[in-house]
Amino acid sequence: MVSSDSDLHANRFEQLVQTVADYAIYMLDLEGHVMSWNAGAQRIKGYCADEVIGKHFSIFFTPQDCADGKPAWLLDRALSTGGAQDEGWRLRKDGSLFWALVVLDVIRAPDGKVVGLAKITRDITERREAALQLDEVRAQLCQSQKLEALGQLTGGMAHDFNNLLTIIIGSARLALVSRDPQRTQRLLGHILDAGERGSQMTQQLLSFARYKALKSGRVKVSALIESTRSLLGQALPNAVALQVKLAEDLWDVEVDAGQLQMVLLNLIFNARDAIDGEGVISVHARNCELDGQQDGLAGCFVCISVRDTGRGIDSQVLPRIFEPFFTTKSLGKGTGLGLSQVYGFAKQSNGTVSVSTEAGKGTCMSVYLPVYCAAIGLAPTPEYGGA
Ligand SMILES: Nc1ncnc2c1ncn2[C@@H]1O[C@H](COP(=O)(O)OP(=O)(O)OP(=O)(O)O)[C@@H](O)[C@H]1O
Ligand SMILES: [Mg+2]
């Protein structure tokens, strides 16, 4: 009775595995020969059971992977560690390729002896393509935002360049007619200084404009804020003062530096646009330990805030400001993508963003970013508390 019950279960289980169509589920012997085959394997790889049972599983690999010894490597790894995972191109019977997510696990007899391997393969070609497309769209969006910011910055920089050229041309003219060698030396010194400053400015612009894939790394907040400040140059009207206040011993953060610079520019440009006439924009950065106060985050963070003395955000507008393409600015003035970049960046970096605002008084946007763990000598893995 017991044995027929377990036979029944085994049969049902066999039926279940056989009929799964989304996953190729089959067994390999210890040398890597196919021992069983299910409907999913037939659907994904194109072979029926008769054609494939007894064959070595290397027939599913590309010639290049076979030449590199990948099938043997995977098998060895699974047998020596109890399992292995892989992601890569695999061959169908008709020679076409699909992108596979593969899991290999050893199967043991009740006495513990390894009797074979269970192999589960998923065809994730579409998922991979969608992810690649999304990355591409993100990169394009990031690049077009950068170009827009660049446009705003170069306008101001043209002014700075003109100032430098005035110094260079004026000093060169004076040096040409000077009979006093010491004076000529001084004038040449001015020319060199102004030329070097101009070259630094171009370098800053170029490194900002250059396309870079999103990449997290250790970022020194104070250096990044300072370089943003010098990048801003004349992009702010004279009536708007920019103040920077950085706490001492700021922790480093773990983010994409180029993206963080975009965040700062987006927040500062928003602050600038909110100020009619005279006003102040203050950029502050401080270390803070969170315990669920901000979006349920806990751990060590650096808070960078951009505060302005502008018109504030209307309570009806406030719930929508982070929506992509939401803007209250006139056509051609705003795309409505600035704050969605800020929000997306903060979330992707395992941080958050908060806003406080008062009509007629101003707005403060604070971005909380996780510290670079080694920077404070402990591992404050950000946790999401609450639901
Ligand atoms: N500091 C601020 N003060 C007042 N309103 C703000 C401030 N920051 C954002 N807003 C409001 O939020 C809206 C959305 O901002 P967001 O940066 O996403 O887009 P935008 O500035 O309109 O356009 P873009 O940044 O793409 O040029 C703005 O149109 C504005 O109404
Ligand atoms: Mg904006």
Coordinates of all heavy atoms in Angstrom, one line a residue, residues 145 148 152 266-267 270-271 273-274 308 311-313 317 321-323 326-329 333-340 363 365, ligand 1:
Q145 N 19.2 64.5 -21.5 CA 19.2 65.5 -20.3 C 20.5 66.2 -20.1 O 20.5 67.4 -19.8 CB 18.9 64.7 -19.1 CG 17.4 64.5 -18.8 CD 17.1 64.5 -17.3 OE1 17.8 63.8 -16.6 NE2 16.2 65.3 -16.9
E148 N 20.9 68.9 -22.6 CA 20.1 70.1 -22.2 C 20.8 70.9 -21.2 O 21.0 72.1 -21.3 CB 18.8 69.6 -21.8 CG 17.7 70.6 -22.0 CD 16.4 70.2 -21.4 OE1 15.9 69.2 -21.8 OE2 16.0 70.9 -20.5
Q152 N 22.6 74.8 -21.0 CA 22.4 75.8 -20.0 C 23.8 76.3 -19.5 O 24.0 77.4 -19.2 CB 21.6 75.3 -18.9 CG 20.2 74.8 -19.3 CD 19.2 75.0 -18.2 OE1 19.3 76.0 -17.5 NE2 18.2 74.2 -18.2
N266 N 19.9 69.5 -11.8 CA 18.5 69.5 -11.9 C 17.9 70.3 -10.7 O 17.0 71.1 -10.9 CB 17.9 68.1 -12.0 CG 17.9 67.6 -13.4 OD1 17.8 68.3 -14.4 ND2 18.1 66.3 -13.5
L267 N 18.4 70.0 -9.5 CA 17.8 70.7 -8.3 C 18.1 72.2 -8.3 O 17.3 73.0 -8.0 CB 18.3 70.0 -7.1 CG 17.8 68.6 -6.8 CD1 18.4 68.0 -5.6 CD2 16.3 68.5 -6.7
N270 N 16.1 74.0 -11.0 CA 14.7 74.1 -10.5 C 14.6 75.3 -9.5 O 13.7 76.1 -9.5 CB 14.2 72.9 -9.8 CG 13.7 71.8 -10.8 OD1 13.6 72.1 -12.0 ND2 13.4 70.6 -10.3
A271 N 15.6 75.3 -8.6 CA 15.7 76.4 -7.6 C 15.8 77.7 -8.3 O 15.1 78.7 -8.0 CB 16.8 76.2 -6.6
D273 N 14.8 78.5 -11.3 CA 13.6 78.9 -12.0 C 12.5 79.3 -11.0 O 11.5 79.9 -11.4 CB 13.1 77.7 -12.8 CG 14.1 77.3 -13.9 OD1 14.9 78.1 -14.3 OD2 13.9 76.2 -14.5
A274 N 12.6 78.9 -9.7 CA 11.6 79.2 -8.8 C 11.8 80.6 -8.2 O 10.9 81.1 -7.5 CB 11.6 78.2 -7.6
D308 N 15.9 76.8 -1.7 CA 15.8 78.0 -2.4 C 14.8 79.0 -1.7 O 14.0 78.5 -0.9 CB 15.4 77.8 -3.8 CG 14.0 77.3 -4.0 OD1 13.0 77.9 -3.6 OD2 13.9 76.1 -4.5
R311 N 9.4 80.7 -5.0 CA 8.0 80.8 -4.8 C 7.3 79.7 -4.1 O 6.1 79.8 -3.7 CB 7.2 81.1 -6.1 CG 7.2 80.0 -7.1 CD 6.5 80.4 -8.4 NE 7.5 81.1 -9.2 CZ 8.3 80.6 -10.1 NH1 8.2 79.3 -10.3 NH2 9.1 81.3 -10.8
G312 N 8.0 78.6 -3.9 CA 7.4 77.4 -3.2 C 6.6 76.6 -4.2 O 6.3 77.0 -5.3
I313 N 6.1 75.4 -3.7 CA 5.3 74.6 -4.6 C 3.9 74.5 -4.1 O 3.6 74.2 -2.9 CB 5.9 73.2 -4.7 CG1 7.4 73.2 -5.1 CG2 5.1 72.3 -5.6 CD1 8.1 71.9 -5.1
V317 N 0.0 71.0 -6.8 CA 1.1 70.6 -7.7 C 2.0 69.6 -7.0 O 2.4 68.6 -7.7 CB 1.9 71.8 -8.2 CG1 3.2 71.4 -8.8 CG2 1.1 72.7 -9.1
I321 N 5.0 66.3 -8.6 CA 6.3 66.9 -9.1 C 7.2 65.8 -9.6 O 8.1 66.1 -10.5 CB 7.0 67.8 -8.1 CG1 7.2 67.1 -6.8 CG2 6.2 69.1 -8.0 CD1 8.1 67.9 -5.9
F322 N 7.2 64.6 -9.0 CA 8.1 63.6 -9.4 C 7.7 62.8 -10.7 O 8.4 61.9 -11.1 CB 8.4 62.6 -8.3 CG 9.2 63.3 -7.1 CD1 8.5 63.5 -5.9 CD2 10.5 63.7 -7.3 CE1 9.2 64.2 -4.9 CE2 11.1 64.3 -6.2 CZ 10.5 64.6 -5.1
E323 N 6.5 63.0 -11.1 CA 6.0 62.3 -12.3 C 6.8 62.7 -13.5 O 7.1 63.9 -13.7 CB 4.5 62.7 -12.6 CG 3.5 62.0 -11.8 CD 2.1 62.5 -12.1 OE1 1.9 63.0 -13.2 OE2 1.3 62.5 -11.2
F326 N 5.9 65.8 -15.9 CA 5.0 66.8 -15.3 C 5.8 68.1 -15.2 O 6.9 68.1 -14.6 CB 4.5 66.3 -13.9 CG 3.8 67.4 -13.2 CD1 2.4 67.6 -13.5 CD2 4.4 68.3 -12.3 CE1 1.7 68.7 -12.9 CE2 3.7 69.3 -11.7 CZ 2.4 69.5 -12.0
T327 N 5.2 69.2 -15.7 CA 5.9 70.5 -15.6 C 4.9 71.6 -15.5 O 3.8 71.4 -16.1 CB 6.8 70.7 -16.8 OG1 7.4 72.0 -16.7 CG2 6.1 70.7 -18.1
T328 N 5.2 72.6 -14.8 CA 4.3 73.8 -14.8 C 4.9 74.9 -15.6 O 4.4 76.0 -15.7 CB 4.1 74.3 -13.3 OG1 5.4 74.6 -12.8 CG2 3.4 73.3 -12.5
K329 N 6.1 74.5 -16.3 CA 6.8 75.6 -17.0 C 6.2 75.6 -18.4 O 5.6 74.7 -18.9 CB 8.3 75.3 -17.0 CG 8.8 75.4 -15.6 CD 10.2 75.0 -15.5 CE 10.6 74.9 -14.0 NZ 11.8 74.3 -13.7
K333 N 10.3 75.5 -22.0 CA 11.1 75.9 -20.8 C 11.4 74.7 -20.0 O 12.4 74.7 -19.3 CB 10.3 76.9 -20.0 CG 10.3 78.3 -20.6 CD 11.2 79.2 -19.7 CE 11.6 80.5 -20.3 NZ 10.7 81.6 -19.9
G334 N 10.5 73.7 -19.9 CA 10.7 72.6 -19.1 C 10.2 71.3 -19.7 O 9.2 71.3 -20.4
T335 N 10.9 70.2 -19.5 CA 10.4 68.9 -20.1 C 9.7 68.1 -19.0 O 9.0 67.1 -19.3 CB 11.6 68.0 -20.6 OG1 12.4 67.8 -19.4 CG2 12.4 68.7 -21.6
G336 N 9.9 68.5 -17.7 CA 9.2 67.8 -16.7 C 10.0 66.5 -16.3 O 9.4 65.6 -15.7
L337 N 11.2 66.4 -16.7 CA 12.0 65.2 -16.5 C 13.0 65.3 -15.4 O 13.6 64.4 -14.9 CB 12.7 64.7 -17.8 CG 11.8 64.1 -18.8 CD1 12.5 63.9 -20.1 CD2 11.2 62.8 -18.3
G338 N 13.3 66.6 -15.0 CA 14.3 66.8 -14.0 C 14.1 66.0 -12.7 O 15.0 65.2 -12.3
L339 N 13.0 66.2 -12.1 CA 12.7 65.6 -10.8 C 12.5 64.1 -10.9 O 12.8 63.3 -10.0 CB 11.6 66.2 -10.0 CG 11.9 67.6 -9.4 CD1 10.6 68.1 -8.7 CD2 13.1 67.5 -8.5
S340 N 12.1 63.6 -12.1 CA 11.9 62.1 -12.2 C 13.3 61.5 -12.3 O 13.5 60.4 -11.8 CB 11.0 61.7 -13.3 OG 11.5 62.1 -14.5
T363 N 11.6 76.4 -1.1 CA 11.5 74.9 -1.2 C 12.8 74.3 -0.8 O 13.9 74.9 -1.0 CB 11.2 74.5 -2.6 OG1 10.0 75.1 -3.0 CG2 11.1 73.0 -2.8
M365 N 14.8 70.6 -1.2 CA 14.8 69.2 -1.7 C 16.0 68.5 -1.1 O 17.1 69.0 -1.2 CB 14.9 69.2 -3.2 CG 13.8 69.8 -4.0 SD 12.6 68.5 -4.4 CE 11.4 69.5 -5.2
Ligands
LIG1 N1 12.5 74.3 -6.2 C1 11.3 74.4 -6.8 N2 10.4 75.4 -6.5 C2 9.2 75.5 -7.0 N3 8.7 74.5 -7.8 C3 9.4 73.5 -8.2 C4 10.8 73.3 -7.7 N4 11.3 72.2 -8.2 C5 10.3 71.6 -8.9 N5 9.2 72.4 -9.0 C6 8.0 72.1 -9.7 O1 8.0 70.8 -10.1 C7 7.8 70.7 -11.5 C8 8.6 69.5 -12.0 O2 10.0 69.7 -11.9 P1 11.0 69.0 -12.9 O3 12.3 69.4 -12.6 O4 10.6 67.5 -12.9 O5 10.6 69.5 -14.3 P2 10.8 71.0 -14.9 O6 11.8 71.7 -14.1 O7 9.4 71.6 -15.1 O8 11.4 70.6 -16.3 P3 12.9 70.1 -16.6 O9 13.6 69.9 -15.3 O10 12.7 68.8 -17.3 O11 13.5 71.2 -17.4 C9 8.3 72.0 -12.0 O12 7.7 72.3 -13.3 C10 7.8 73.0 -10.9 O13 6.4 73.3 -11.0

